[in-house]
């Protein structure tokens, strides 16, 4: 008790006890308040993180996270000799953030002249508002450099201007094979030709990148250390069967044809009849895929696969094949040509309007006598005639690796009347594509065997290994080998001494057939008077065919419109240059293949 303080004033003691109790109560209240606060915070945390966690995370990402497609250079397109036809490189595209533009007029004055736009163009972009507006896609390197120098001189532009790397396509040979290769849009999407057909392979797998940014679009948090570059996108490279030199040859020939004949359009194809490879394919008018947007879209399409036309007399090669195979006719059989014949109330006459009198079937083919082929067609009948047309690949798509291929138009044999049979026999009332026509002629050059045409030779992985190799594909045998040999001899006579003589070349045996057909009136039906399609389709050398050539001249002007007059000379020029470039040696002497066959028959 001596250690305890002694308070003599009991009132004072009560005051002290009361103060102590008050402090203790405050501590209790504070503790309770802290406990309630902690419980509230935990409840709020649980509500935000657990109950609404996914929703809040999504809102956060939408505010601070930016996602973009990562671009890589597209795969390269090569010709048959691995010469580059289409290449890609990475370039910068400019965008603007209108929300952070301090002075729109000054920005327009500074930026527009550096990238070849007007001040109004820039002001219109800024007026769109928001945080992102494209200003110019896929700029040239010098434009990008000029803008970066501007941003160094005036740092305020860093907040409103930015760059995104994109792949830009270049076509180093300009117009060469444009209708085959196609082009690529600003979004790195193939829009025509091979670029469209193999877009997924050439572009590779699409990848996206996400980074966190602040209000000025600057990377924050871990994104500062991330690089906006894609991993291997597995882009494929495409090798075509097209030979750039052969392509150059036919395009120059078509330019000459356009100039000489004032045609609406011209088309040419060169095929290897032994394996079905398309060695060249071109149309005029054409375009430069580097600036495709400056051309009329009508010139973008590949007429060789997407146009259909009445083949005219070139189709007579197929009718002759059917007649020989069915043993209805031989080259020496006699025909009497009356000049005109009436079939089901329809008059069929010769191209000259005259009668050739008594002739052999060889003369019927050489002179393209309509009445003779109409008689042969009527003997064959609609069912057999259409059957052979389909055997040679008409009436269905070939399946070539190009977009937009048409199937052509043939009769249903059950619906044919006699006049349909007769007109089909001279290449009218049916429609084919240029590709179908050259594929059928190549079957004649290839011992009567139809091959599937290819314009892609191989597809390669990014590391150079082969992803896919296109192989020679036999579709079917159309006619027997001995029949085919006879047919080739007859078609060789067409060029050496008949209507296709302007395609002949001294020292070489070339076989083929000319054609002249009236143009179809696509609007009103029937034919357009005074408008024609002239063509030639043939192959050579006959002894060992290396090339099949098709030339089509749509609506030649100047009075000459027969295939033998305008298309055969163009084919002559193409054959001559192809033989020279491929080092195809001429034969010794000019004895025709038909003479060889006759000599063999005489010995037997």
């Amino acid at each position: 008790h001596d250690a305890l303080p002694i308070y003599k004033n009991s009132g004072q003691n009560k005051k002290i006890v009361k103060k102590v109790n008050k402090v203790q109560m405050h501590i209790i209240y504070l503790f309770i308040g802290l406990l309630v606060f902690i419980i509230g915070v935990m409840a709020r945390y649980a509500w935000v993180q657990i109950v609404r966690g996914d929703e809040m995370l999504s809102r956060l990402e939408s505010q601070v996270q930016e996602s973009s497609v990562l671009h890589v250079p597209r795969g390269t397109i090569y010709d048959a000799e691995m010469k580059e036809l289409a290449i890609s490189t990475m370039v910068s595209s400019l965008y603007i953030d209108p929300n952070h533009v301090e002075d729109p007029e000054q920005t327009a004055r500074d930026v527009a002249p550096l990238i070849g736009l007007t001040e109004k163009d820039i002001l219109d972009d800024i007026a769109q508002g928001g945080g992102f507006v494209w200003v110019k896609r896929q700029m040239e390197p010098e434009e990008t450099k000029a803008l970066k120098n501007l941003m160094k001189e005036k740092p305020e532009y860093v907040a409103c201007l930015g760059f995104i790397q994109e792949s830009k396509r270049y076509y180093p040979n300009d117009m060469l094979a444009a209708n085959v290769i196609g082009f690529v849009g600003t979004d790195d999407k193939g829009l025509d030709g091979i670029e469209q057909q193999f877009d997924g392979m050439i572009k590779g797998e699409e990848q996206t990148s996400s980074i966190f940014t602040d209000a000025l679009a600057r990377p924050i948090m871990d994104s500062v250390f991330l690089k906006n570059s894609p991993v291997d996108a597995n882009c494929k490279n495409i090798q075509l069967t097209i030979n750039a030199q052969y392509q150059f040859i036919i395009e120059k020939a078509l330019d000459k044809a356009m100039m000489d004949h004032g045609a609406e359009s011209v088309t040419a194809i060169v095929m290897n009849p032994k394996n079905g490879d398309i060695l060249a394919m071109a149309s005029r008018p054409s375009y430069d895929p580097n600036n495709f947007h400056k051309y009329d879209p009508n010139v973008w399409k590949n007429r060789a696969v997407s146009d259909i036309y009445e083949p005219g007399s070139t189709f007579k090669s197929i009718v002759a094949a059917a007649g020989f195979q069915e043993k209805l006719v031989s080259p020496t059989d006699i025909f009497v040509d009356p000049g005109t014949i009436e079939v089901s109330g329809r008059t069929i006459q010769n191209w000259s309007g005259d009668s050739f009198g008594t002739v052999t079937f060889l003369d019927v083919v050489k002179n393209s006598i309509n009445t003779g082929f109409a008689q042969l067609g009527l003997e064959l009948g609609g069912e057999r005639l259409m059957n052979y047309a389909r055997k040679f690949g008409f009436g269905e798509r070939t399946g070539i690796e190009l977009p937009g291929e048409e199937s052509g138009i043939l009769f249903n044999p059950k619906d044919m009347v006699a006049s349909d049979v007769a007109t089909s026999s001279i290449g009218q009332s049916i429609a084919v594509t240029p590709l179908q026509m050259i594929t059928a002629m190549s079957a004649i050059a290839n011992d009567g065997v139809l091959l599937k045409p290819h314009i892609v030779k191989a597809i390669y992985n990014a590391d150079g290994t082969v992803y896919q190799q296109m192989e020679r594909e036999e579709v079917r045998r159309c006619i027997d080998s001995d029949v085919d040999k006879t047919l080739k001899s007859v078609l060789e006579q067409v060029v050496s001494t008949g209507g296709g003589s302007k395609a002949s070349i001294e020292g070489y045996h070339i076989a083929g057939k000319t054609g002249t057909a009236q143009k179809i009136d696509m609007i009103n039906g029937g034919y357009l008077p005074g408008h024609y399609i002239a063509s030639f389709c043939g192959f050579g050398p006959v002894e060992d065919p290396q090339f099949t050539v098709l030339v089509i001249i749509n609506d030649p002007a100047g009075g000459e419109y027969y295939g033998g007059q305008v298309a055969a000379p163009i084919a002559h020029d193409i054959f001559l240059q192809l033989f020279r470039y491929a080092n195809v040696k001429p034969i010794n002497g000019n004895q025709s293949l038909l003479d060889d066959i006759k000599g063999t028959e005489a010995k037997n």
Side-chain angles (χ1 to χ4, degrees), residues 210-251:
S210 297
I211 62 173
F212 293 100
T213 61
D214 64 10
L216 296 180
R218 296 174 300 196
I220 59 175
M221 299 187 290
D222 291 342
S223 297
V224 174
F225 305 102
L226 296 178
K227 291 184 177 180
N228 188 25
S229 59
V231 297
D232 181 15
N234 197 27
C235 299
K236 303 290 192 293
N237 299 316
I238 309 293
Q239 182 185 18
L240 303 182
T241 59
I242 294 287
N243 181 299
Q245 185 60 41
Y246 298 161
Q247 186 73 23
F248 179 79
I249 288 171
I250 72 167
E251 292 198 15

Side-chain angles (χ1 to χ4, degrees), residues 504-568:
S504 64
I505 300 173
E506 185 177 355
Y508 297 91
H509 290 152
I510 296 173
K513 188 74 185 72
T514 59
T516 309
Q518 286 182 281
K519 285 188 65 174
I520 302 172
D521 187 339
M522 296 296 186
I523 299 176
N524 302 312
Y527 296 99
L528 294 169
H531 296 270
Y532 301 90
I533 294 177
S535 61
F536 174 89
C537 192
F539 55 89
V542 174
E543 302 82 6
D544 183 21
Q546 303 294 311
F547 305 104
T548 307
V549 174
L550 171 67
V551 175
I552 299 174
I553 301 181
N554 178 16
D555 212 359
E560 291 187 339
Y561 55 84
Y562 288 113
Q565 293 175 317
V566 295

Side-chain angles (χ1 to χ4, degrees), residues 9 25 31 86 141 173 182 189 308 313 345 401 422 451 500 507 521 541 552 568:
N9 191 335
M25 289 303 295
F31 176 77
N173 302 293
K189 182 175 179 60
I308 59 172
S313 295
E401 307 92 341
L451 302 179
D521 187 339
I552 299 174

